[in-house]
């Protein structure tokens, strides 16, 4: 039996959406981004759908208030 993991998703704050819609997509409808958290942690290669919905790994539990900066991850 295969285990299917559920990834958590949430909408990022509008201030980041306005910045990210101007940047290129990594693939059709998504961007790969680096998420810089206020505690200094960096989440790399996270998928952002339509410049607004952040997809996290199942073991990650962050809120939008913890995000300090978002950049494209090339």
């Amino acid at each position: 039996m295969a285990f299917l993991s559920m990834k958590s998703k949430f909408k990022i704050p509008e201030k980041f959406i306005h910045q990210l819609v101007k940047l290129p997509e990594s693939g059709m409808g998504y961007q790969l981004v680096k998420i810089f958290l206020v505690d200094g942690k960096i989440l790399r290669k996270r998928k952002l759908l339509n410049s607004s919905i952040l997809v996290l790994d199942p073991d990650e539990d962050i809120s939008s208030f913890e995000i300090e900066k978002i950049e494209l991850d090339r």
Side-chain angles (χ1 to χ4, degrees), residues 10-64:
F10 66 88
K11 185 173 180 179
I12 61 172
E14 290 293 326
K15 67 180 182 179
F16 297 119
I17 294 172
H18 293 299
Q19 166 198 351
L20 291 160
V21 295
K22 300 173 188 171
L23 300 176
E25 293 181 329
S26 303
M28 194 71 126
Y30 73 92
Q31 295 161 308
L32 290 178
V33 295
K34 277 191 274 193
I35 308 295
F36 296 83
L37 302 178
V38 293
D39 67 1
K41 187 175 179 181
I42 301 172
L43 306 176
R44 298 183 187 277
K45 302 277 187 201
R46 296 306 184 272
K47 193 176 276 188
L48 189 65
L49 307 174
N50 298 320
S51 299
S52 61
I53 304 296
L54 180 62
V55 180
L56 297 172
D57 290 338
D59 61 336
E60 294 173 326
D61 185 23
I62 67 165
S63 74
S64 61

